[in-house]
């Protein structure tokens, strides 16, 4: 028995081609439409069994807002997202919004049809490897840039932090040595230790990693604090006890 469905994608040609292929396989396509921005209104009005919803940015902010609205106003409609090879976070976001499945854009029509039928039956329509990746991401989320910057900063000694900041400023070994009042050989040793601890192969990679993770932002206040002159007690007046 065919499925009563709708196909919505920002690329109208893709939506129409997919709709035609599904019609040939015995399904009733109520509409093949674009853009995705108006999908929720259309689905709520037509109330298909399944909505195949295309997306180009599965991890973008607000991407799955139409899914959430459809599920809120027409909970009986199963939504299957059609998108590019996703990150686990993109898969998780789709299901969190209420999607019943996720199918890659490069899937064969037989795979798309299987996902549609499974979604109508109330099953999760997603390839096992994609679903496993989403679960792994939820259970073991990657460190956020701020957390990663803190972790890297804790690996370095205060002197190595200063060396890294100077490396990021483009200073060579000679300038680092002169600025820190140490021998060039000592400066070179510090640089090598920094590269080893950060697990990078060059000064450029170290600078890029420090900037990307926010390590440089954290290092600045630390170095300024270290550079503050120590406060000393005022000398006693002449002739004092």
């Amino acid at each position: 028995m065919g499925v009563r469905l709708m196909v919505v994608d920002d690329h109208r040609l893709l939506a129409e081609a997919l709709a035609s292929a599904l019609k040939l396989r015995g399904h009733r396509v109520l509409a093949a439409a674009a853009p995705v921005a108006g999908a929720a209104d259309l689905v709520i009005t037509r109330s298909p069994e399944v909505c195949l919803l295309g997306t180009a940015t599965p991890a973008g902010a607000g991407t799955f807002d139409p899914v959430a609205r459809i599920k809120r106003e027409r909970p009986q409609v199963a939504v299957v997202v059609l998108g590019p090879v996703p990150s686990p976070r993109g898969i998780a976001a789709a299901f969190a919004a209420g999607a019943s499945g996720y199918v890659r854009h490069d899937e064969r029509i037989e795979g798309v049809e299987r996902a549609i039928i499974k979604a109508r039956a109330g099953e999760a329509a997603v390839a096992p490897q994609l679903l496993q990746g989403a679960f792994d991401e939820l259970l073991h989320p990657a460190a956020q840039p701020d957390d990663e910057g803190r972790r890297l900063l804790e690996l370095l000694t205060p002197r190595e932090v200063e060396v890294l900041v100077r490396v990021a400023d483009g200073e060579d070994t000679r300038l680092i040595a002169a600025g820190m009042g140490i021998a060039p050989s000592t400066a070179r040793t510090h640089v090598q230790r920094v590269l080893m601890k950060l697990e990078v192969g060059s000064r450029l990679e170290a600078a890029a990693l420090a900037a990307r993770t926010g390590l440089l932002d954290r290092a600045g206040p630390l170095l300024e604090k270290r550079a503050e002159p120590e406060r000393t007690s005022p000398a006693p007046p002449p002739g004092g006890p």
Side-chain angles (χ1 to χ4, degrees):
M1 181 179 176
V3 178
R4 192 175 73 257
L5 57 88
M6 290 178 55
V7 182
V8 184
D9 195 284
D10 283 333
H11 298 88
R12 185 176 294 277
L13 186 61
L14 175 61
E16 292 177 351
L18 191 52
S20 296
L22 290 168
K23 284 180 182 178
L24 290 175
R25 301 179 77 86
H27 301 289
R28 182 185 174 193
V29 180
L30 302 180
V36 169
D41 289 332
L42 195 58
V43 171
I44 290 167
T45 299
R46 305 297 294 273
S47 195
E49 292 177 295
V50 178
C51 171
L52 194 59
L53 182 72
T55 177
T57 55
T63 296
F64 299 116
D65 287 352
V67 178
R69 185 180 167 209
I70 290 169
K71 297 305 295 182
R72 185 171 60 249
E73 300 193 30
R74 290 289 186 273
Q76 72 275 16
V77 176
V79 180
V80 176
V81 175
L82 178 68
V85 179
S87 68
R89 194 172 295 276
I91 288 281
F95 278 89
S100 298
Y102 192 106
V103 180
R104 287 169 37 165
H105 268 145
D106 58 358
E107 180 63 78
R108 297 172 65 88
I109 187 63
E110 293 85 0
V112 175
E113 183 180 38
R114 281 196 299 271
I116 290 171
I117 292 172
K118 289 182 72 173
R120 182 181 64 172
E123 301 176 32
V126 61
Q129 63 270 27
L130 296 183
L131 192 58
Q132 183 61 50
F135 280 129
D136 288 344
E137 175 69 22
L138 290 174
L139 292 173
H140 308 289
Q144 296 300 313
D146 189 54
D147 295 333
E148 182 70 358
R150 182 187 298 111
R151 183 186 71 81
L152 294 175
L153 193 60
E154 291 173 352
L155 296 176
L156 306 176
T157 67
R159 177 140 294 197
E160 289 166 348
V161 171
E162 183 175 355
V163 168
L164 177 58
V165 170
R166 290 179 179 276
V167 166
D169 286 340
E171 294 186 10
D172 59 18
T173 301
R174 181 181 56 82
L175 287 175
I176 292 173
M180 297 179 65
I182 56 179
S185 60
T186 303
R188 193 175 300 109
T189 298
H190 282 316
V191 171
Q192 290 304 316
R193 286 178 178 167
V194 168
L195 300 185
M196 180 183 66
K197 288 184 177 182
L198 297 184
E199 298 182 353
V200 295
S202 69
R203 298 182 184 212
L204 184 60
E205 288 181 67
L209 177 64
R212 187 174 69 249
T213 60
L215 192 157
L216 292 178
D217 294 333
R218 290 179 170 276
L222 178 63
L223 293 178
E224 288 174 7
K225 184 176 181 180
R226 290 184 64 229
E228 289 177 0
E230 293 184 5
R231 292 196 180 117
T232 56
S233 300

